[in-house]
Amino acid sequence: MSIHANKRLWQKYVLAENRRSLEGLLATLSAEPVYEVMATGEKHVGPEAVAAFYTGLFAAMPDVTFDLVNVYIGENGVVEESVLVGTHTGSLFGLAATGRPVRLPLTIVFPIESGQILGERLYFDLDSLHRQLGLR
């Protein structure tokens, strides 16, 4: 895929995510997407598992936003730097709700092939999240 096509696909994905449109989000993904949360070892495989991941995220942080810091677009995919911002009101990454605000820097890798996003590899500092939630 061209860099321009990958940028358009990623933008479509981000718009769907920001609108909380699971249908729109899933429409940008391959038939068997793989979402990996590198800090916890969680792995979500397939559209149902990815939908459950997002449903859980939106339930745990109903006010969540991803504030874009930078994006790098190449022929094989997209890398996004952003800050997850929200209030921890439900279980997230196995952590019970604390009601605390979160500002968590993230790096997300979106591998792309044949006009479809293959999934995400989500990188963040788990210790930083624990400190913000008062768990350390």
Side-chain angles (χ1 to χ4, degrees):
M1 295 275 311
S2 73
I3 291 172
H4 184 69
N6 285 348
K7 180 179 181 179
R8 285 194 323 261
L9 179 64
W10 172 79
Q11 287 172 326
K12 184 177 176 182
Y13 175 92
V14 168
L15 284 173
E17 183 179 61
N18 289 340
R19 292 179 178 143
R20 309 290 197 266
S21 170
L22 290 179
E23 183 178 309
L25 190 147
L26 293 172
T28 65
L29 303 179
S30 67
E32 281 298 308
V34 178
Y35 274 53
E36 295 181 78
V37 181
M38 306 308 282
T40 65
E42 291 177 36
K43 196 172 197 177
H44 309 274
V45 179
E48 295 83 13
V50 169
F53 168 78
Y54 271 102
T55 299
L57 173 63
F58 297 149
M61 299 184 87
D63 61 347
V64 71
T65 61
F66 295 89
D67 296 348
L68 184 63
V69 174
N70 216 333
V71 63
Y72 307 92
I73 301 167
E75 292 180 5
N76 296 320
V78 174
V79 176
E80 171 188 326
E81 290 181 286
S82 59
V83 179
L84 180 148
V85 179
T87 309
H88 182 228
T89 60
S91 179
L92 179 68
F93 305 126
L95 304 171
T98 63
R100 290 184 174 222
V102 173
R103 288 190 56 80
L104 185 65
L106 308 169
T107 300
I108 307 169
V109 177
F110 298 88
I112 297 175
E113 187 176 282
S114 302
Q116 297 179 317
I117 296 172
L118 302 178
E120 288 187 21
R121 288 190 304 277
L122 176 65
Y123 296 86
F124 61 87
D125 179 23
L126 189 58
D127 189 56
S128 175
L129 179 61
H130 285 168
R131 283 192 314 265
Q132 291 183 51
L133 298 178
L135 303 175
R136 289 187 44 88

